[in-house]
Amino acid sequence: MNRSLQFNFSHLFDGVIWNMLSLPEQPVLILESRDATKKETRFSALNFQRNEFLWKDLLLEEPWWINLSAVSKGVLLYTVYLETTNPDKKAVMAYNVQRHELLWWNNDFSLIAVEADRVIGFSLKLSRQVVLNLHTGAEEPQNTTESTSKPLSDLVRPIRYTDDLPHFETVKTFLSQRLNLLPVVSLEYAEFDSLIFISYNVMETALVNYLLVLTATGSILLHEKLDEPQKGIGLDTFFILKGSLFFVKNRRELLSYSIV
């Protein structure tokens, strides 16, 4: 069966798209964008199937020392850094995803994991692990027998290969022979629904990152320049979620294509 890509949308943000989280149970992406000049961190929730924002570019009371931590069962968790000189002093805030209403907060909590309806973290004052209820923030006993199985996810992330691995050389040879490309340093690779996805770096006037999507027979469906990084190499440069491809271009633009 011949597959193709169909453009879904493009959204441009004022700040650098720093982090994205997906809800396993809903077609929603939570985005964190950061503007280092203004020292502002803004958050948005996008229903990517309807291409509608539930809310967009929200700035919280703490504008900079905050980040996305986790999302589960309709609850979004933020980590707030209480002292810039002591990264161990953290708080957690829980919001309802749909309306972005504050559910609860805890000013002495370093998030470790979210398992089922339990939020596991560390209390600096108590010097011990603490378990909170995801929906209420109330402390719960740690010896619970509640299942910690995670919900199934439609999220597909690429595998990263550095240039010292055999798989890197295999893909490098393929790109060299088919497209006269010479990837360097590292690449990211995924296969999904009879399509091949490769994010690779080449040296032009600077190190440049491209995303390439091919059919199983080698036909090019997408060949997009993603970024010209000045520092380091991008990780998780694309992902596939619920049958759609997502990637960030020039650090500020979120693009999506349906796999049809």
Side-chain angles (χ1 to χ4, degrees):
M1 184 176 180
N2 294 326
R3 293 295 185 187
S4 61
L5 296 180
Q6 178 179 301
F7 178 75
N8 285 335
F9 57 75
S10 167
H11 292 292
L12 189 63
F13 294 82
D14 290 335
V16 172
I17 299 174
W18 196 261
N19 191 14
M20 284 186 282
L21 298 177
S22 64
L23 278 71
E25 64 277 4
Q26 300 177 39
V28 174
L29 283 177
I30 311 295
L31 298 101
E32 171 187 339
S33 60
R34 304 181 73 88
D35 188 325
T37 302
K38 296 179 180 180
K39 297 293 184 184
E40 290 182 349
T41 305
R42 295 184 179 270
F43 302 96
S44 304
L46 173 66
N47 183 311
F48 55 82
Q49 288 186 346
R50 298 200 306 260
N51 190 22
E52 295 177 357
F53 283 95
L54 306 180
W55 34 270
K56 190 173 188 291
D57 291 333
L58 294 186
L59 186 66
L60 302 188
E61 184 175 351
E62 169 49 60
W64 183 244
W65 297 101
I66 184 172
N67 63 259
L68 289 176
S69 290
V71 62
S72 178
K73 298 188 175 183
V75 177
L76 173 61
L77 299 175
Y78 296 102
T79 289
V80 181
Y81 296 87
L82 301 176
E83 292 185 9
T84 59
T85 57
N86 185 357
D88 291 331
K89 297 198 71 173
K90 301 173 187 175
V92 64
M93 297 192 304
Y95 280 77
N96 174 284
V97 168
Q98 291 294 324
R99 298 176 298 278
H100 203 263
E101 296 173 343
L102 181 65
L103 300 175
W104 56 269
W105 72 91
N106 187 308
N107 283 330
D108 178 33
F109 193 84
S110 296
L111 181 66
I112 296 173
V114 178
E115 297 180 349
D117 291 299
R118 304 163 68 234
V119 184
I120 302 170
F122 186 82
S123 166
L124 200 62
K125 293 178 181 178
L126 300 176
S127 298
R128 63 173 175 85
Q129 183 172 289
V130 174
V131 177
L132 305 179
N133 182 281
L134 174 65
H135 304 281
T136 66
E139 187 170 352
E140 295 189 344
Q142 299 199 36
N143 58 344
T144 179
T145 58
E146 181 180 2
S147 171
T148 59
S149 61
K150 295 183 179 180
L152 295 177
S153 174
D154 295 319
L155 179 66
V156 176
R157 293 193 181 276
I159 300 172
R160 182 171 182 256
Y161 298 123
T162 54
D163 58 8
D164 59 340
L165 297 175
H167 289 297
F168 179 93
E169 289 299 321
T170 300
V171 180
K172 178 180 178 179
T173 299
F174 169 78
L175 293 177
S176 175
Q177 293 176 348
R178 298 294 291 271
L179 300 171
N180 196 29
L181 298 172
L182 290 176
V184 297
V185 185
S186 69
L187 56 84
E188 295 186 321
Y189 182 93
E191 295 182 9
F192 179 82
D193 214 0
S194 302
L195 297 182
I196 299 169
F197 302 80
I198 305 171
S199 172
Y200 66 91
N201 304 288
V202 292
M203 184 61 68
E204 296 178 356
T205 54
L207 195 63
V208 180
N209 182 216
Y210 285 87
L211 176 61
L212 177 66
V213 183
L214 303 162
T215 65
T217 57
S219 298
I220 297 176
L221 300 181
L222 182 73
H223 199 183
E224 188 98 26
K225 180 186 283 190
L226 299 187
D227 203 2
E228 299 182 14
Q230 297 181 1
K231 296 180 180 179
I233 301 296
L235 300 176
D236 285 337
T237 51
F238 68 91
F239 60 90
I240 299 157
L241 179 61
K242 297 187 183 298
S244 289
L245 169 68
F246 297 86
F247 60 92
V248 174
K249 184 176 180 180
N250 296 323
R251 306 187 185 187
R252 295 172 183 265
E253 183 180 5
L254 174 66
L255 294 100
S256 174
Y257 287 79
S258 290
I259 300 167
V260 296

